[in-house]
Structure formats: structure tokens, C-alpha cells
Amino acid sequence: VTLHLNPISSVHIHQKPLVFLLNSPLPLVWKIKTERLAPGIRRLFFVSLGSVVQFEKGNFSLSAETEEKLFPEKNEHLLQWAQKEYGAVTSFTELKISRNIYIKVGE
């Protein structure tokens, strides 16, 4: 699955840390493609057990961290866990089948 990340239209270059919880019932290869995200900013990618994250060429991967995590099974529990762990959730998306996911990041 390819995760396409770029800033909302009102933000030229996104310069804030991001945390992504990438959960799947089956192990996946998550390919991260970015546009207009500032280099050197901490970005965390937590993936379900057995999954991996691949970054496109460039320096984005130097400041990104990946970690396998055992997530709660149901989406409601995952959302509650994320809110407890990080204090807020700004976006939650559930997809049954997808090869490409497009996410706009920003204020």
C-alpha cells in the first residue's frame, strides 16, 4: 500500500512532527511517498506486527522512525488507545481494500 503524504493547500511546506498508526490484519509493505514535508522533522510510523515501511529515495527517512506494534483489534479500541497515548487524533481512516492512500497533513 502506498501512503501519499502532502500538506494542505494553505501550508507550503509542512514543518511539524507527525505520528502515523498503520494497522492491518495482514502484514503489509507500506510505501511512503511525500511532497513538501520539511526534512529533519521527527515523523513516527507505527505498523502492525509483520509489516514494514519503505521510504522513497531522499532524506525523509533520516528523520523518520518505524516501529512494529501490537495494536488493539477493533477500530474503536485503536482510536481510544491512540487518544490516550497521544492526547489527540486528528484523522482516522478505515479502508477495506486500497493500493493508494492520500493524506493531507496540516493545521
Side-chain angles (χ1 to χ4, degrees):
V1 175
T2 302
L3 181 61
H4 301 265
L5 304 174
N6 57 12
I8 58 175
S9 59
S10 61
V11 175
H12 183 63
I13 302 286
H14 188 269
Q15 301 188 35
K16 293 187 177 180
L18 297 168
V19 176
F20 291 92
L21 308 178
L22 305 174
N23 190 25
S24 173
L26 299 173
L28 288 177
V29 174
W30 294 91
K31 297 178 182 179
I32 311 299
K33 293 194 174 203
T34 64
E35 290 181 35
R36 301 183 357 253
L37 299 187
I41 306 294
R42 187 173 189 220
R43 296 180 180 102
L44 303 171
F45 294 87
F46 293 106
V47 296
S48 47
L49 299 179
S51 293
V52 296
V53 176
Q54 293 178 348
F55 299 97
E56 60 186 341
K57 292 180 181 175
N59 60 4
F60 181 80
S61 63
L62 297 177
S63 57
E65 300 172 39
T66 62
E67 182 181 325
E68 284 186 64
K69 203 126 181 110
L70 180 61
F71 291 120
E73 284 188 34
K74 296 189 183 253
N75 284 335
E76 306 84 45
H77 298 140
L78 177 60
L79 185 56
Q80 290 170 354
W81 176 84
Q83 289 171 324
K84 182 180 174 187
E85 193 77 14
Y86 296 101
V89 174
T90 56
S91 178
F92 185 92
T93 304
E94 177 185 8
L95 302 166
K96 297 292 182 193
I97 298 174
S98 183
R99 290 181 187 217
N100 291 283
I101 301 170
Y102 296 85
I103 296 182
K104 300 258 186 204
V105 297
E107 303 292 329

